[in-house]
Amino acid sequence: VKDLVEPALHGTRYVLDACMRHLDTVRCVVVTSSVAALTDTGIKGKVFTEKDWNTFSNLNRNPYYYSKMLAEKEAWKYVEQKKLGEVLADLAWLEVAGKLHDASTNRPIKGGGWNLVGRARVVACELLDWGCVDVRDVAAAHLLVMQHPDAEGRHVCAAENMHCRDMSTLLIKEFAGDHPRSPYKIPTTSFDGAVGTGIMKLASYFQPGQVGQYLRTNLAKPIRFDNSKLKGYGFQFRPLKQTIVDTALDLMRWGHVPYPVAGPHAKAKAD
């Protein structure tokens, strides 16, 4: 509670209190939420929208997701109590990838990019769909929601999903991952059948708490989101393939990952 829930709730209140003190100049507040506030697991045939709330997470199951849901609900509760009307808008985003602002890396970049190029112990492609959105699209969506005259309420900022296997195939093709001298260890063994999923779920109990919980609630359970509300404002998301390639190139540019020895990006270092 002290590590996740309390900071999420207090931080939300502190920021909104500051906005309240400057209502003469503050016309709109865009809360950066997360799709974790919508769900922590996929449901067959279900497409999650702005109307959904995460009723699965709690302090014992994916507490990080739980804190995100509570923080967003706190924001809407605050607005209702203060009778602020349409001052608040909300943006719930997926895992963020794309070009890095500096040499530091965040959790999604480490988990996705590093895992697939041999910087972590990933040996197979699990039955996981990774949902991502480009960091440049997240920034643009914030501005759009802040400025668009019809923008109000919650907005799902989710581009698309890609299977772990398809991401491996893309990286091998773009960065010569199958070259004999390739510095990468991109997984190609498929663990996306029933047996592989069972093995991965069993292995999840030997992972750190939240990592294991994430695997057990997401393996073989792809999550689908409806981003039509943002698109209705004319917003266009970058293709996920472009985002993944741009992320890999930036990891190389900042020295986290070696450049490929062959292929279309082998000369990127010289450029």
Side-chain angles (χ1 to χ4, degrees), residues 63 76 78 84 119 134 147 150 165 185 203 219 233 250 266:
W76 290 111
Y78 186 102
L84 296 178
R119 286 296 189 258
D134 196 289
Q147 298 170 353
D150 297 328
R165 178 184 59 251
K185 298 177 182 178
L219 278 168
Y233 303 151
D250 247 27

Side-chain angles (χ1 to χ4, degrees), residues 52-91:
D52 290 298
W53 286 98
N54 183 352
T55 59
F56 305 105
S57 300
N58 52 50
L59 291 175
N60 297 313
R61 167 176 161 152
N62 293 323
Y64 173 80
Y65 289 67
Y66 184 57
S67 71
K68 292 297 184 182
M69 182 273 293
L70 291 178
E72 187 186 334
K73 281 198 169 184
E74 182 67 19
W76 290 111
K77 177 182 175 182
Y78 186 102
V79 169
E80 182 178 353
Q81 290 177 340
K82 301 294 184 180
K83 302 185 186 303
L84 296 178
E86 298 179 357
V87 171
L88 185 70
D90 176 85
L91 202 69

